[in-house]
Amino acid sequence: MENGEKPEHKSSPFVFRQSEIRAGGGLHRVIECDTALFADALKGTGELLSLTAEADFSVGSGDLLLEGGIKASAAMPCDRCNADFKASLAESFDEVYEYSVESIDIEDLVRQALVLAVPAKILCSDGCKGLCPSCGANLNAGPCKCGPGQDGPFGALRDLKNKEP
Ligand SMILES: [Zn+2]
Ligand SMILES: [Zn+2]
């Protein structure tokens, strides 16, 4: 005998039924997220390329514990050299749900984690050399015409000092 699965609500990959999780003794789910749904979380700092969320529910004595996390990649400009690069973002989250909560929606948790995953300073690499303060050349591509050892207005000041008798 087969029961056709009846969707009781609009199907969302982020909504879980408490009763189903408890009946199964927990639940582990990996969700490939629709990036269009979460693009706003980057607040214009970049373009979301991929987003994977992981949810791990375990059954406690009076509540459910959710441990999860996100992994994302985004195209964003480096704060130091301004070049677009592909950033890898990751963040974890956890939450406790009372048994009285039947419908568990983790979409907001995923969105918050993505917001938190974006660092205050985004660098294309730890060793990014940035832009030349004088001519604006990207120094990652090689030294600019300003020559070695120059450092903008301070370099000019130092040159003046050196000319003093
Ligand atoms: Zn850079
Ligand atoms: Zn330069």
Side-chain angles (χ1 to χ4, degrees), residues 78 81 124 128 140:
C78 172
C81 71
C124 64
C128 174
N140 294 313

Side-chain angles (χ1 to χ4, degrees), residues 75-126:
M76 38 180 57
C78 172
D79 277 335
R80 203 177 278 167
C81 71
N82 208 33
D84 272 320
F85 72 106
K86 190 173 159 185
S88 296
L89 309 172
E91 185 64 49
S92 59
F93 55 81
D94 51 64
E95 189 68 88
V96 174
Y97 298 95
E98 307 272 313
Y99 279 176
S100 56
V101 181
E102 169 57 14
S103 179
I104 296 172
D105 188 343
I106 69 165
E107 187 179 326
D108 282 346
L109 285 173
V110 171
R111 180 170 282 103
Q112 283 165 27
L114 182 58
V115 169
L116 290 173
V118 180
K121 200 165 181 66
I122 309 159
L123 297 181
C124 64
S125 77
D126 288 341

Side-chain angles (χ1 to χ4, degrees), residues 139-157:
L139 298 176
N140 294 313
C144 62
K145 288 181 183 131
C146 304
Q150 78 74 37
D151 42 16
F154 300 106
L157 268 177

